[in-house]
Amino acid sequence: MGKRHEILMGMSGSALAALALILSGPVLNLLPYQAQTMTHRASVWAIASCIILIWLVISIARLARHRFVDPRDTEPVGSEQTPRALALSQQLQNTLEQTALAVGAYSVWTVLSPVSWGVMPIAGAILFSLGRSLFFLGYAGGAAKRALGFALTFYPTIAILGCSILAILVDCSA
């Protein structure tokens, strides 16, 4: 099996997880907790954002810890980094990008989502957490090994953002 095929398999599995997230909206309506008021929705947004921000803290801490224990990576910015520091920096950069996208998407969702689907950011944050874990674990193995983790972080966020945009378009056409 070639690398592109492995990457495609990881990305496809994550796309299915994102689709399942969207289709779970009616199932979320069965939960005892419903985000019916803006206060409840803000609580859901805060919890989901907090979960995601923890992954950003973990990424920062991993690089900081490495730099603290490896004297080769304590030099000023612009000097050559060790391969480990470079990999941790790249993972931090990707996590920062994913965090910004997810917190923004969840913010829009909080305001625009149907009442019964208001808790969806929590499900998205759980998939985000699983995705970041797999991304970190597979990072050293190359693109094929980190594809599933990347996509599990990315696609659910894009699904929530896409549903938010759809809600805007439907509302504007009404």
Side-chain angles (χ1 to χ4, degrees):
M1 182 167 25
K3 279 190 181 195
R4 287 182 190 213
H5 181 65
E6 289 179 46
I7 293 168
L8 182 61
M9 293 302 293
M11 301 294 268
S12 298
S14 297
L16 289 175
L19 180 61
L21 174 67
I22 290 172
L23 296 177
S24 72
V27 174
L28 294 174
N29 192 30
L30 301 175
L31 294 174
Y33 179 82
Q34 291 298 310
Q36 294 181 5
T37 68
M38 191 47 81
T39 301
H40 290 128
R41 288 170 180 254
S43 295
V44 167
W45 173 82
I47 292 166
S49 295
C50 188
I51 291 168
I52 290 168
L53 288 168
I54 288 169
W55 286 100
L56 183 57
V57 170
I58 289 169
S59 295
I60 293 167
R62 291 174 71 215
L63 180 57
R65 181 182 167 274
H66 171 77
R67 286 188 173 149
F68 182 76
V69 298
D70 192 331
R72 297 172 297 170
D73 288 315
T74 57
E75 294 304 315
V77 175
S79 57
E80 193 168 321
Q81 297 181 38
T82 63
R84 177 76 178 144
L86 183 59
L88 289 170
S89 293
Q90 291 168 338
Q91 291 171 53
L92 170 57
Q93 178 64 37
N94 184 267
T95 301
L96 176 61
E97 293 163 0
Q98 298 296 331
T99 299
L101 184 61
V103 170
Y106 295 176
S107 298
V108 175
W109 182 260
T110 297
V111 175
L112 299 175
S113 68
V115 171
S116 62
W117 292 15
V119 296
M120 195 178 289
I122 300 295
I126 291 168
L127 289 173
F128 187 102
S129 295
L130 178 60
R132 281 295 92 178
S133 297
L134 293 172
F135 182 79
F136 291 160
L137 289 172
Y139 192 84
K145 299 295 182 194
R146 65 179 174 254
L148 176 61
F150 171 84
L152 264 177
T153 306
F154 183 70
Y155 287 153
T157 299
I158 295 304
I160 289 172
L161 182 61
C163 286
S164 297
I165 292 168
L166 184 60
I168 292 168
L169 295 174
V170 168
D171 188 50
C172 288
S173 67

